[in-house]
Amino acid sequence: MNNKELVLVLDFGGQYNQLIVRRIRDLGVYSELVPYSTTIEKIKELNPKGLVLTGGPNSVFASDSLVMDSRILDLGIPTLGICYGAQLIAYLKGGEVLSAETREYGKSEMSVKPSPLFKHIPEKSVVWMSHTDYVSKAPEGYEVIGFTDSCPVAAYGNDKAKIYGVQFHPEVVHTECGNTVLRNFLYEVAGLKGDWSMRNFIGDMVGKIRDKVGDKKVLLAMSGGVDSAVAATLMHRAIGKNLQCVLVDHGLMRKYEVEDIVRVFRDGIGMNLDVIDAKERFLSRLNGITEPEQKRKIIGEEFIRTFEDYSKKSGKVDFLAQGTIYPDVIESGFGKAALIKSHHNVGGLPSVIAFDEIIEPLRDLFKDEVRKVGFELGLDKSIVMRQPFPGPGLAVRVIGEITEEKLELLRDADFIFREEIRKAGLDTEIWQYFAVVTDLKSVGVMGDMRTYDYTVALRAVTSVDAMSADWARIPYELLAKVSNRIINEVNGVNRVVYDITSKPPSTIEWE
Ligand code: XMP
C-alpha cells in the first residue's frame, strides 16, 4: 500500500506482535509487521511515520539476542519500544538493563508523570507485565515517566527525539490505558492524521486494480468463503465482466451452499461465475478412503486437476486473482508452525493455470478488515460473517468412509443445527458450529421398532483465531431441540451427542 501514513512494527518475536499491528490499524493508521532485521535502507525507502519495536522472548544480554541496526533510532522517526523493544532502546542508547531473579507476570499498578505519551491517562492505572529483564536506568537525555512497585522504569522517553519505551504491554486488553497509550503515540507524539479506513482502502484498491488490469481478463477461484467472496466482489467492482469466477462443486458442500453462492454472486451481483460440477470425479476417487490425511491429499490433488482441465479449455489468462489475506502473508514469511493437519486451499493453482501475473487485493488486510470491506461493498451478513469452512468440506466431517448416504444425512443434520443456532441468535457468538457424522452405528428404539443407525455429533466452539478453542456452552434446551429435530427429521440417525472437548487437546474438526 502506498498510504501516506505508515507505522512499521519491527518484529522481535513476541506473541502479541500481530495484535499491535491490528490495534494501530483500528486506531486509523496503516501498519505493517516487518522483521527486526529490516535494513536501514529499506526503512528509509518505506518512509514510515512511526516505528514500534515489539516484545520478544530474548534478552539483550544473550549472545544470540535480536539486535536492530541502532542507526535506525537516529533517523528522527517517532519510536515506541514495547517490553523487549523498550529494553533494547535503553541498551542501545546507553541506559542500564538488568535481569531480575523472578519474572514479573500479570497486572501491576503503574504511576505516571506528565508526558505526551500519557495524555488523558490517570496518575495510577493497571498495566499488564510479562518480563524478566528490566530497564533499571533510562539512557541519558531520557526521563522516567512511569514506574511500578517492582519496576523502577516502567516507561521512559525523550520528548524531543520522540522516542519512548514502555515495559508493559499496551496492546493487551488488561492494560487499562493501553489503547490510549497507542493512540497518544500515533496522534500526540507522531502527529499523524489517521488516513486508514476501509472506505479509503476500497477506493484506492479499485483504482489500482483498474490501472493494472486495463481491459485484460482475470480469473478467480471462489470457494464461497469470506476471503474469496470479498476479493471477487472487490475485483468485480473494479473490472466488472472482465472478471471470471470459477467455483468447483466437489460434492462436499453443505446443504444449499452452491445454490446460495450462485444466487448472490451470479444472479444478484451479476458476476461471470462458472460452477464446475466435479462431484463425480471427487467422490469416485474418495471411494473407500478412510484415512483423514489421505482424504485431504486426494481432494487437494483433484482440485488442482479440475482447474488444470478448466484451464486447458479456457486458455491462458492474463491475471489470476486470489483471496490471500495478511495473516497468510505473515505466516508464510515468518511462521514455522508444526504441521498438525495439511490444510488445503487453492494455493497450488498457480502451478497449473497459465497466467501472466497474480493479483491479491486483500493481502494487506486482517480478517476483520476483510469483513468490513465486505460490508462496505454491500455484501450480506450471511456471507461476510460466515463461519470458517474447511477446504476439503464435508469430507473431514464424515468420519471413516465417505458414502452418499452419510453425506446426505450429514447435510440435513448440519442444516438443522445451523438453523437453530441462528434462530437462537448465537450465530455471531459461536466461532464454528457444525455436525459430524461418526462411523459408529448404535442400537435405538423408535416407535416399537429397534433401530441400528448412525450417531451424529454436534460440534460448536468459541475461539478468536482457531489456534485454540473452547466448546461452546450452548443452552441445554437448544441442544434438546436440535437433537429432537435431527432424530425426527433425518433418516438414518438414532443418536446425537455433543462434543465437550477444547482445542487443544482436540482439534476443531474431527479429521
Ligand atoms: P482444526 O481442525 O485444525 O481447524 O482445529 C482449525 C481451523 O481450520 C479449519 N480447517 C481448514 N481450513 N482447509 C481450510 O481452509 C483445511 O483443510 C482445513 N482444516 C481445518 C477449521 O474449520 C478451523 O476453522
Side-chain angles (χ1 to χ4, degrees):
M1 297 294 308
N2 60 22
N3 275 69
K4 286 187 283 327
E5 295 182 342
L6 164 71
V7 168
L8 283 182
V9 176
L10 264 51
D11 183 4
F12 288 93
Q15 55 175 325
Y16 305 121
N17 297 353
Q18 280 200 39
L19 195 57
I20 301 173
V21 176
R22 291 176 61 166
R23 293 267 185 267
I24 295 173
R25 291 196 194 181
D26 281 346
L27 288 164
V29 174
Y30 182 67
S31 176
E32 273 186 26
L33 195 63
V34 292
Y36 72 92
S37 52
T38 304
T39 61
I40 188 166
E41 289 76 24
K42 182 75 190 164
I43 289 192
K44 280 188 193 158
E45 182 192 318
L46 292 169
N47 189 25
K49 300 290 183 272
L51 289 177
V52 175
L53 279 44
T54 74
N58 257 253
S59 164
V60 291
F61 305 118
S63 54
D64 57 350
S65 70
L66 310 181
V67 183
M68 61 189 280
D69 184 337
S70 63
R71 294 171 305 162
I72 293 171
L73 296 174
D74 300 326
L75 292 175
I77 306 170
T79 300
L80 176 66
I82 296 174
C83 196
Y84 176 78
Q87 295 157 16
L88 185 62
I89 296 174
Y91 180 75
L92 294 174
K93 288 283 173 197
E96 186 179 72
V97 180
L98 293 177
S99 207
E101 303 232 311
T102 52
R103 178 159 173 243
E104 184 185 19
Y105 183 80
K107 293 177 181 176
S108 285
E109 191 181 63
M110 178 179 68
S111 305
V112 296
K113 295 194 185 143
S115 156
L117 193 65
F118 292 150
K119 204 170 162 184
H120 305 306
I121 286 175
E123 221 170 289
K124 284 180 192 300
S125 68
V126 170
V127 295
W128 182 260
M129 296 282 201
S130 172
H131 64 113
T132 309
D133 290 356
Y134 64 100
V135 178
S136 49
K137 222 192 272 159
E140 215 178 295
Y142 287 70
E143 200 192 333
V144 177
I145 53 174
F147 57 92
T148 70
D149 280 348
S150 52
C151 197
V153 190
Y156 65 87
N158 179 328
D159 294 344
K160 213 162 138 246
K162 302 193 181 210
I163 296 180
Y164 296 86
V166 295
Q167 184 55 64
F168 61 90
H169 285 272
E171 69 279 18
V172 306
V173 288
H174 310 293
T175 297
E176 287 174 352
C177 57
N179 230 19
T180 315
V181 171
L182 292 176
R183 180 192 302 275
N184 285 339
F185 174 66
L186 300 173
Y187 294 103
E188 301 294 331
V189 175
L192 301 181
K193 290 190 206 65
D195 60 5
W196 176 244
S197 75
M198 291 310 111
R199 186 164 300 177
N200 289 350
F201 168 81
I202 293 172
D204 226 48
M205 192 46 81
V206 163
K208 280 189 192 151
I209 296 169
R210 281 189 190 142
D211 287 349
K212 183 157 205 149
V213 174
D215 52 12
K216 293 184 176 165
K217 299 268 182 279
V218 180
L219 180 71
L220 185 145
M222 250 184 141
S223 67
V226 181
D227 304 340
S228 65
V230 173
T233 313
L234 187 58
M235 295 294 301
H236 181 261
R237 159 106 30 130
I239 59 167
K241 290 288 182 194
N242 284 335
L243 173 70
Q244 176 66 56
C245 292
V246 185
L247 173 74
V248 174
D249 181 0
H250 48 22
L252 302 160
M253 300 288 216
R254 289 171 290 192
K255 196 165 174 159
Y256 302 134
E257 195 153 27
V258 175
E259 292 90 326
D260 282 346
I261 294 170
V262 169
R263 185 174 43 75
V264 171
F265 294 98
R266 189 197 284 162
D267 305 342
I269 298 180
M271 276 180 202
N272 283 333
L273 169 64
D274 280 345
V275 177
I276 305 178
D277 182 353
K279 295 188 200 85
E280 180 48 41
R281 66 190 285 173
F282 277 84
L283 296 185
S284 63
R285 272 208 70 197
L286 287 166
N287 195 8
I289 307 292
T290 56
E291 209 278 312
E293 277 303 295
Q294 216 182 335
K295 285 184 187 175
R296 285 169 186 274
K297 199 162 159 266
I298 289 173
I299 292 167
E301 278 170 16
E302 216 47 47
F303 237 100
I304 299 298
R305 294 225 175 105
T306 308
F307 271 102
E308 203 169 14
D309 292 350
Y310 180 84
S311 175
K312 275 185 198 140
K313 271 187 240 146
S314 60
K316 180 164 169 272
V317 292
D318 301 305
F319 296 94
L320 180 68
Q322 289 193 322
T324 315
I325 68 171
Y326 195 49
D328 306 334
V329 175
I330 297 179
E331 267 146 40
S332 55
F334 305 117
K336 289 187 206 75
L339 177 74
I340 309 286
K341 294 177 187 177
S342 53
H343 278 204
H344 138 91
N345 51 34
V346 289
L349 281 193
S351 60
V352 293
I353 289 185
F355 66 98
D356 284 337
E357 223 179 307
I358 289 201
I359 300 187
E360 295 173 318
L362 308 178
R363 65 174 287 127
D364 290 325
L365 303 188
F366 285 107
K367 193 86 179 183
D368 45 342
E369 292 174 318
V370 171
R371 294 207 159 101
K372 283 188 202 153
V373 168
F375 280 127
E376 278 289 334
L377 290 168
L379 287 175
D380 190 72
K381 182 177 159 220
S382 62
I383 293 163
V384 175
M385 298 311 289
R386 204 163 180 275
Q387 52 168 325
F389 185 60
L394 298 182
V396 292
R397 295 178 182 172
V398 173
I399 310 306
E401 191 179 354
I402 300 170
T403 62
E404 292 279 5
E405 183 203 4
K406 280 160 95 181
L407 270 175
E408 203 48 42
L409 67 87
L410 173 59
R411 278 199 189 95
D412 289 340
D414 183 68
F415 186 77
I416 292 171
F417 187 32
R418 287 190 289 130
E419 185 173 66
E420 291 300 333
I421 291 277
R422 185 174 42 77
K423 279 204 269 180
L426 295 175
D427 51 341
T428 46
E429 244 166 75
I430 302 179
W431 172 267
Q432 257 175 302
Y433 46 98
F434 53 87
V436 173
V437 56
T438 69
D439 208 19
L440 175 82
K441 282 190 167 183
S442 70
V443 176
V445 54
M446 262 205 230
D448 291 329
M449 300 286 287
R450 175 189 189 270
T451 56
Y452 188 60
D453 282 332
Y454 280 110
T455 300
V456 159
L458 303 176
R459 179 75 163 143
V461 296
T462 53
S463 175
V464 278
D465 53 10
M467 301 293 284
S468 63
D470 196 7
W471 59 280
R473 301 326 194 241
I474 292 177
Y476 285 163
E477 289 64 33
L478 183 58
L479 285 172
K481 191 169 179 194
V482 173
S483 165
N484 272 335
R485 277 196 62 191
I486 291 176
I487 299 293
N488 287 325
E489 296 173 35
V490 185
N491 275 336
V493 182
N494 68 353
R495 195 177 293 272
V496 175
V497 296
Y498 187 52
D499 181 350
I500 52 165
T501 32
S502 57
K503 171 184 179 175
S506 294
T507 50
I508 296 177
E509 304 290 345
W510 273 36
E511 284 195 341

